[in-house]
């Protein structure tokens, strides 16, 4: 157990050294590749304006998303009505999708509990 801990510590140290050495280069490269998205000058007023634009743009997209939701729901209802005609691969895809949703739910529960599997911290 102690050797595994030392190996883990060594790998973490190597990773932090790699990030310290190459992190700034990656940061500068990332900014250079995406400079068309950077707003100049970067002031608080500009940040607040962009935040408001994002909020109201998303708010304006609610009717379209609402309509898409009902279309998807109608499609699921029609599939349920014709469930006798379903192929095995369609049922498999639906089962895998349900399993994925359950896995994300479990991951969210673990994160919400503070990364504990057995329960909440006292």
């Amino acid at each position: 157990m102690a050797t595994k801990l030392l190996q883990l510590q060594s790998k973490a140290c190597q990773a932090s050294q790699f990030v310290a050495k190459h992190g700034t280069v990656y940061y500068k490269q990332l900014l250079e590749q995406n400079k068309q998205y950077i707003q100049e000058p970067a002031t608080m007023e500009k940040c607040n304006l962009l935040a408001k634009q994002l909020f109201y743009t998303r708010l304006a997209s609610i009717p379209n998303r609402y309509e898409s939701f009902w279309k998807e729901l109608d499609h699921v209802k029609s599939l349920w009505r014709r469930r006798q005609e379903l192929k095995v691969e369609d049922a498999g895809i639906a089962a895998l999708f349900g399993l994925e949703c359950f896995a994300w739910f479990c991951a969210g529960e673990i994160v919400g509990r503070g990364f504990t599997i057995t329960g909440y911290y006292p």
Side-chain angles (χ1 to χ4, degrees):
M1 181 71 173
T3 58
K4 292 282 187 187
L5 188 60
L6 286 173
Q7 287 176 350
L8 183 63
Q9 184 181 12
S10 171
K11 295 225 185 247
C13 184
Q14 289 173 356
S16 67
Q17 287 173 351
F18 180 81
V19 168
K21 186 176 180 182
H22 301 289
T24 56
V25 174
Y26 174 74
Y27 174 74
K28 288 178 182 176
Q29 181 184 13
L30 184 68
L31 286 180
E32 183 63 32
Q33 289 174 347
N34 296 297
K35 65 182 174 185
Q36 71 269 19
Y37 302 115
I38 298 173
Q39 294 291 318
E40 293 293 338
T43 61
M44 284 300 278
E45 292 82 19
K46 191 67 165 177
C47 291
N48 288 335
L49 174 67
L50 290 172
K52 281 185 180 181
Q53 285 177 341
L54 176 64
F55 175 76
Y56 287 108
T57 301
R58 290 189 182 248
L59 195 61
S61 72
I62 287 176
N64 292 336
R65 289 188 278 156
Y66 181 78
E67 184 178 320
S68 296
F69 168 75
W70 287 111
K71 283 181 183 178
E72 290 287 330
L73 188 62
D74 289 339
H75 180 69
V76 169
K77 285 179 183 178
S78 71
L79 282 177
W80 184 253
R81 279 189 226 112
R82 295 181 287 120
R83 64 183 175 269
Q84 302 301 327
E85 302 170 13
L86 270 175
K87 298 177 190 171
V88 174
E89 62 187 37
D90 292 336
I93 290 172
L96 283 175
F97 178 72
L99 185 65
E100 182 183 4
C101 289
F102 180 71
W104 279 112
F105 169 77
C106 291
E109 284 289 308
I110 291 169
V111 169
R113 287 191 299 252
F115 295 97
T116 61
I117 295 173
T118 56
Y120 294 97
Y121 288 121

